[in-house]
C-alpha cells in the first residue's frame, strides 16, 4: 500500500533536490556525520549540532515528525521534506525506513562546503 504525501509537508523537495540530498546523506554516513531517527534528530537540534535536517513526507502517522519543522525554525536549522522514507533509509545504509536524518556539523569534514551549497540550493528552490 502506497502512503500518500502529507499536504503539511512543506517545503517538499523536487526530484533533483531529492537526489542531491540522498547523495549527501550517503556521503556523510561514511564520515559518521549523521544522526538517524526522529529522537536522535531532535537531540542533535536541541544540542545545536545539527546542520541540515531531512524529514520524510510519507511518515505514517505524520504527527511523529510534525514537531521537527517547528524545532528547526526555533533553532535556525535548515530543513526539507523528502518524498520517500524508504529512500532515506537506503541512503543511511539501512534496510528499514527512516523518518528523519540530521546532518551534524563537522568542522573537519571535507564535505562542509557541499552541505552549505545544498542549504543555499534548498533556500532558492523553495523560495523560487
Amino acid at each position: 500500500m502506497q502512503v500518500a504525501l502529507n499536504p503539511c509537508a512543506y517545503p517538499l523537495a523536487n526530484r533533483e533536490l531529492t537526489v542531491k540530498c540522498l547523495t549527501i546523506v550517503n556521503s556523510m554516513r561514511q564520515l559518521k556525520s549523521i544522526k538517524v531517527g526522529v529522537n536522535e534528530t531532535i537531540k542533535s537540534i536541541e544540542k545545536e549540532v545539527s546542520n541540515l535536517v531531512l524529514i520524510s513526507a510519507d511518515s505514517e502517522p505524520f504527527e511523529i515528525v510534525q514537531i521537527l519543522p517547528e524545532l528547526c525554525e526555533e533553532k535556525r536549522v535548515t530543513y526539507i521534506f523528502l518524498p520517500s522514507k524508504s529512500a532515506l533509509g537506503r541512503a543511511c545504509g539501512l534496510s528499514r525506513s527512516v523518518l528523519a536524518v540530521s546532518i551534524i556539523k563537522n568542522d573537519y569534514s571535507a564535505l562542509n562546503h557541499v552541505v552549505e551549497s545544498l542549504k543555499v540550493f534548498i533556500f532558492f528552490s523553495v523560495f523560487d
Side-chain angles (χ1 to χ4, degrees):
M1 182 173 100
Q2 182 72 15
V3 178
L5 301 180
N6 194 300
C8 295
Y10 179 81
L12 182 64
N14 59 20
R15 181 176 294 254
E16 177 188 4
L17 185 55
T18 299
V19 170
K20 287 183 180 192
C21 289
L22 294 176
T23 303
I24 288 182
V25 166
N26 191 20
S27 300
M28 296 303 278
R29 172 184 63 90
Q30 295 170 352
L31 297 173
K32 306 216 184 305
S33 293
I34 63 170
K35 296 292 181 181
V36 179
V38 176
N39 289 338
E40 292 295 320
T41 300
I42 290 172
K43 289 177 196 175
S44 70
I45 295 168
E46 288 176 343
K47 291 179 183 176
E48 297 182 359
V49 295
S50 184
N51 199 5
L52 175 65
V53 173
L54 306 170
I55 309 166
S56 169
D58 62 346
S59 303
E60 187 64 33
F62 190 74
E63 289 77 21
I64 295 171
V65 296
Q66 203 165 13
I67 190 173
L68 291 174
E70 181 180 327
L71 191 58
C72 287
E73 288 173 5
E74 180 182 311
K75 298 290 186 176
R76 299 190 185 275
V77 176
T78 304
Y79 69 94
I80 192 154
F81 284 90
L82 299 181
S84 173
K85 61 186 175 189
S86 60
L88 192 55
R90 284 191 305 271
C92 294
L94 302 172
S95 60
R96 61 181 175 84
S97 300
V98 171
L99 301 183
V101 173
S102 174
I103 297 176
I104 58 175
K105 296 174 184 172
N106 186 349
D107 295 334
Y108 305 107
S109 173
L111 294 175
N112 275 344
H113 69 284
V114 177
V115 174
E116 291 301 320
S117 65
L118 179 65
K119 288 168 60 174
V120 171
F121 189 78
I122 289 170
F123 178 80
F124 285 114
S125 66
V126 169
F127 297 108
D128 197 18

